[in-house]
Amino acid sequence: MREFLGKAAKNGIVSYILNACAFILGIAALICYLVSAEDKSQMTETFISATVVVPLVIAVLANGAGIVYQNSLVKIGAFAMYFLSLVTWIFNQVGYIVNVFMGIDGNSFGFAYVTAFVLFIVCAVLSLTAVKNFNKDRQ
């Protein structure tokens, strides 16, 4: 097992796997974000915004390009777009988030809503971690 991990680190496959995981989870985050718009009540609505979808799609495409082209600039761009989509999502949903925390009308966060938030963060961390080459020969 130690030899396999050493060979994987030497070939840079760890970075490839992290980027592929960020790509797959990015698609899941996009789906969860689109589904989370259905979690709404009469007083407060969660809604889909292009300011969240466009950076998220760009981030997923950048992760896909990072799988093919092992360029750290593409992976940093994917991280930046995941972070931008997370921040714009928070700004767009701040009224709903405050409504849930204050308990104004009894709303709660749905499963897709929480999952989308967690996946935004996980994808950003994986994209940023994939930038490191993990190659022991290159110091």
Side-chain angles (χ1 to χ4, degrees):
M1 184 69 169
R2 188 182 262 309
E3 292 176 16
F4 173 75
L5 292 175
K7 287 180 183 178
K10 185 176 181 182
N11 294 331
I13 197 165
V14 175
S15 177
Y16 177 81
I17 291 171
L18 289 173
N19 199 28
C21 289
F23 176 73
I24 292 168
L25 292 177
I27 293 171
L30 180 63
I31 291 169
C32 285
Y33 175 69
L34 295 175
V35 170
S36 71
E38 297 300 321
D39 297 335
K40 54 187 167 186
S41 69
Q42 285 74 15
M43 290 183 67
T44 309
E45 291 188 5
T46 60
F47 55 90
I48 297 173
S49 173
T51 59
V52 178
V53 173
V54 171
L56 191 55
V57 169
I58 292 171
V60 170
L61 292 176
N63 276 131
I67 292 172
V68 177
Y69 305 108
Q70 290 292 327
N71 188 346
S72 61
L73 189 59
V74 172
K75 296 172 188 174
I76 291 173
F79 163 74
M81 290 294 107
Y82 280 124
F83 185 74
L84 179 65
S85 64
L86 174 67
V87 170
T88 56
W89 179 76
I90 290 172
F91 283 147
N92 285 335
Q93 300 295 322
V94 73
Y96 182 73
I97 293 169
V98 168
N99 184 2
V100 170
F101 284 139
M102 297 299 292
I104 295 172
D105 62 353
N107 279 342
S108 63
F109 296 122
F111 177 74
Y113 199 84
V114 174
T115 306
F117 176 73
V118 170
L119 286 176
F120 284 157
I121 294 172
V122 169
C123 288
V125 169
L126 284 174
S127 294
L128 192 60
T129 309
V131 171
K132 182 161 174 44
N133 194 4
F134 294 106
N135 193 340
K136 290 183 180 179
D137 292 340
R138 295 184 193 173
Q139 295 288 337

